[in-house]
Coordinates of all heavy atoms in Angstrom, one line a residue:
Chain K
S68 N -11.0 38.4 0.2 CA -11.9 39.4 0.5 C -12.0 39.7 2.0 O -12.1 40.8 2.5 CB -13.3 39.1 0.0 OG -13.8 37.9 0.5
S69 N -11.8 38.6 2.8 CA -12.0 38.8 4.3 C -11.5 37.5 5.0 O -11.5 36.4 4.4 CB -13.4 39.0 4.6 OG -13.6 39.1 6.0
F70 N -11.2 37.6 6.3 CA -10.9 36.4 7.1 C -12.2 36.1 7.9 O -12.2 35.2 8.7 CB -9.8 36.7 8.1 CG -8.4 36.8 7.5 CD1 -7.7 37.9 7.7 CD2 -7.9 35.7 6.9 CE1 -6.4 38.0 7.2 CE2 -6.6 35.7 6.4 CZ -5.8 36.9 6.5
E76 N -16.2 35.8 0.8 CA -17.1 35.5 -0.3 C -16.3 34.9 -1.5 O -16.8 34.6 -2.5 CB -17.9 36.7 -0.8 CG -17.0 37.9 -1.1 CD -17.8 39.1 -1.6 OE1 -18.8 38.8 -2.3 OE2 -17.4 40.2 -1.4
K226 N -7.9 41.3 12.5 CA -6.5 41.6 12.3 C -5.6 40.7 13.2 O -6.0 40.3 14.2 CB -6.2 43.1 12.7 CG -6.8 44.1 11.6 CD -6.3 45.5 11.9 CE -6.7 46.3 10.7 NZ -6.5 47.7 10.9
R246 N 1.0 39.0 1.5 CA 1.0 37.7 2.1 C 0.1 37.6 3.3 O -0.3 38.6 3.9 CB 2.4 37.3 2.6 CG 2.9 38.3 3.7 CD 4.3 37.8 4.3 NE 5.2 37.6 3.2 CZ 6.0 36.5 3.2 NH1 6.0 35.6 4.1 NH2 6.9 36.4 2.2
V270 N 0.4 36.4 -2.5 CA -0.4 36.9 -3.6 C 0.5 37.3 -4.8 O 1.4 38.1 -4.6 CB -1.2 38.2 -3.1 CG1 -2.0 38.7 -4.3 CG2 -2.1 37.8 -1.9
Q276 N 3.8 34.4 -13.8 CA 4.8 34.8 -12.8 C 4.8 33.8 -11.6 O 5.8 33.4 -11.0 CB 4.6 36.2 -12.3 CG 5.4 36.6 -11.1 CD 6.9 36.7 -11.4 OE1 7.3 36.4 -12.5 NE2 7.7 37.0 -10.4
R280 N 7.7 31.2 -10.1 CA 8.2 31.1 -8.7 C 7.9 29.8 -8.1 O 8.6 29.3 -7.2 CB 7.5 32.2 -7.9 CG 8.0 33.6 -8.3 CD 7.3 34.7 -7.6 NE 7.6 34.7 -6.2 CZ 7.1 35.6 -5.3 NH1 6.3 36.6 -5.8 NH2 7.3 35.6 -4.0
E285 N 9.8 28.5 -4.7 CA 9.3 29.5 -3.7 C 7.9 29.1 -3.2 O 7.5 29.5 -2.1 CB 9.2 30.9 -4.3 CG 10.6 31.5 -4.5 CD 10.6 32.9 -5.0 OE1 9.6 33.6 -4.6 OE2 11.5 33.3 -5.7
E443 N -15.0 43.5 -19.9 CA -14.4 43.5 -18.6 C -15.5 42.8 -17.6 O -16.7 43.0 -17.8 CB -14.1 44.9 -18.2 CG -13.6 45.1 -16.8 CD -14.7 45.4 -15.9 OE1 -15.8 45.8 -16.3 OE2 -14.5 45.3 -14.7
R451 N -24.9 40.7 -19.0 CA -25.5 39.4 -19.0 C -26.7 39.4 -18.1 O -27.8 38.8 -18.4 CB -24.5 38.3 -18.6 CG -24.9 36.9 -19.0 CD -23.9 35.9 -18.5 NE -23.9 35.8 -17.1 CZ -23.0 35.0 -16.4 NH1 -22.2 34.2 -17.1 NH2 -23.0 34.9 -15.1
C464 N -19.6 27.0 -10.2 CA -19.0 26.0 -9.3 C -20.0 25.7 -8.2 O -20.6 26.7 -7.6 CB -17.7 26.5 -8.7 SG -16.4 26.5 -10.0
G482 N -32.3 33.6 -9.8 CA -31.7 34.9 -10.1 C -30.5 34.7 -11.0 O -29.9 35.7 -11.5
Y483 N -30.0 33.5 -11.2 CA -28.8 33.2 -12.0 C -29.2 32.8 -13.4 O -28.3 32.5 -14.2 CB -27.9 32.2 -11.3 CG -27.7 32.5 -9.8 CD1 -28.4 31.8 -8.8 CD2 -26.8 33.5 -9.5 CE1 -28.1 32.2 -7.5 CE2 -26.5 33.8 -8.2 CZ -27.2 33.1 -7.2 OH -27.0 33.5 -5.9
D485 N -29.7 33.7 -16.4 CA -29.6 34.9 -17.2 C -30.2 34.7 -18.6 O -30.5 35.7 -19.2 CB -28.1 35.3 -17.3 CG -27.6 35.9 -16.0 OD1 -28.4 36.5 -15.2 OD2 -26.3 35.8 -15.8
Chain R
P59 N -19.8 47.6 -6.8 CA -18.8 46.8 -5.9 C -19.3 45.4 -5.6 O -18.5 44.6 -5.3 CB -18.7 47.7 -4.7 CG -19.5 48.9 -4.8 CD -20.2 48.9 -6.2
T61 N -21.5 43.6 -7.5 CA -21.9 42.8 -8.6 C -21.0 41.6 -8.7 O -19.8 41.7 -8.7 CB -21.7 43.6 -9.9 OG1 -22.4 44.8 -9.8 CG2 -22.2 42.8 -11.1
E63 N -20.7 37.1 -9.8 CA -21.2 35.9 -10.5 C -22.4 35.3 -9.6 O -23.4 34.9 -10.1 CB -20.1 34.8 -10.6 CG -20.6 33.6 -11.3 CD -20.2 33.5 -12.7 OE1 -19.0 33.4 -12.9 OE2 -21.0 33.6 -13.6
R64 N -22.2 35.3 -8.3 CA -23.2 34.9 -7.4 C -24.1 36.1 -7.2 O -23.9 36.8 -6.2 CB -22.6 34.5 -6.0 CG -21.6 33.3 -6.1 CD -22.5 32.0 -6.2 NE -21.7 30.9 -5.9 CZ -21.1 30.1 -6.8 NH1 -21.1 30.5 -8.1 NH2 -20.4 29.0 -6.5
K65 N -25.0 36.3 -8.1 CA -25.9 37.4 -8.0 C -26.6 37.5 -6.6 O -27.2 36.5 -6.2 CB -26.9 37.4 -9.1 CG -27.4 38.7 -9.6 CD -28.3 38.5 -10.8 CE -27.6 37.9 -12.0 NZ -28.5 37.5 -13.1
Q69 N -32.7 41.9 -1.5 CA -32.7 42.3 -0.1 C -31.2 42.3 0.5 O -30.8 43.2 1.2 CB -33.6 41.5 0.8 CG -33.8 42.1 2.2 CD -34.3 43.5 2.2 OE1 -35.3 43.8 1.5 NE2 -33.6 44.4 2.9
N73 N -29.2 45.4 1.9 CA -28.6 45.4 3.2 C -27.1 45.9 3.1 O -26.6 46.7 3.9 CB -28.6 44.1 3.9 CG -30.1 43.7 4.3 OD1 -30.9 44.5 4.4 ND2 -30.3 42.4 4.5
K108 N -12.8 43.5 2.9 CA -13.8 44.0 3.9 C -13.2 44.1 5.3 O -13.9 44.7 6.2 CB -15.0 43.1 3.8 CG -15.7 43.1 2.5 CD -17.1 42.5 2.5 CE -17.8 42.7 1.2 NZ -17.2 42.0 0.1
D109 N -12.1 43.5 5.5 CA -11.5 43.6 6.9 C -10.6 44.9 7.0 O -10.1 45.1 8.0 CB -10.6 42.4 7.2 CG -11.3 41.1 7.1 OD1 -12.6 41.2 7.2 OD2 -10.7 40.0 7.1
D114 N -6.1 52.0 6.0 CA -5.2 50.8 6.3 C -4.4 50.4 5.0 O -3.2 50.2 5.0 CB -6.0 49.6 6.7 CG -6.4 49.6 8.1 OD1 -5.8 50.4 8.9 OD2 -7.2 48.7 8.5
G189 N 12.0 35.6 -6.3 CA 11.2 36.0 -7.5 C 10.2 37.1 -7.2 O 9.5 37.7 -8.1
W192 N 8.0 41.2 -0.6 CA 8.6 42.5 -0.1 C 9.3 42.3 1.2 O 10.4 42.8 1.4 CB 7.5 43.5 0.1 CG 8.0 44.9 0.4 CD1 7.8 45.6 1.5 CD2 8.7 45.7 -0.5 NE1 8.4 46.8 1.4 CE2 9.0 46.9 0.2 CE3 9.2 45.6 -1.8 CZ2 9.7 48.0 -0.4 CZ3 9.9 46.6 -2.4 CH2 10.2 47.8 -1.7
E193 N 8.7 41.5 2.1 CA 9.4 41.1 3.4 C 9.9 42.4 4.1 O 11.1 42.4 4.6 CB 10.6 40.1 3.1 CG 10.1 38.8 2.6 CD 9.8 37.8 3.7 OE1 9.9 38.2 4.9 OE2 9.2 36.8 3.4
Y279 N 4.2 41.7 -10.9 CA 5.3 40.7 -11.1 C 6.1 40.4 -9.9 O 6.5 39.3 -9.7 CB 6.2 41.2 -12.3 CG 5.8 40.7 -13.6 CD1 4.9 41.4 -14.4 CD2 6.2 39.4 -14.0 CE1 4.4 40.9 -15.6 CE2 5.7 38.9 -15.2 CZ 4.8 39.7 -16.0 OH 4.4 39.2 -17.2
S281 N 4.9 41.0 -6.7 CA 4.0 40.9 -5.6 C 4.5 41.7 -4.4 O 4.7 41.2 -3.3 CB 3.7 39.5 -5.2 OG 4.8 38.7 -5.1
R296 N -14.6 47.6 -8.7 CA -15.5 48.8 -8.4 C -15.5 49.1 -7.0 O -16.5 49.4 -6.3 CB -17.0 48.5 -8.9 CG -17.2 48.0 -10.3 CD -16.9 49.1 -11.3 NE -17.3 48.6 -12.6 CZ -16.6 47.9 -13.5 NH1 -15.4 47.6 -13.2 NH2 -17.1 47.6 -14.7

Side-chain angles (χ1 to χ4, degrees):
Chain K
S68 60
S69 174
F70 287 121
E76 56 180 327
K226 287 191 171 173
R246 65 172 52 225
V270 180
Q276 170 65 0
R280 291 179 65 181
E285 291 184 29
E443 172 271 343
R451 196 181 69 182
C464 289
Y483 309 104
D485 288 334
Chain R
T61 305
E63 180 102 67
R64 299 281 197 267
K65 209 175 295 172
Q69 190 57 51
N73 292 341
K108 297 193 174 70
D109 300 344
D114 276 349
W192 189 249
E193 293 275 353
Y279 268 90
S281 46
R296 310 289 193 271

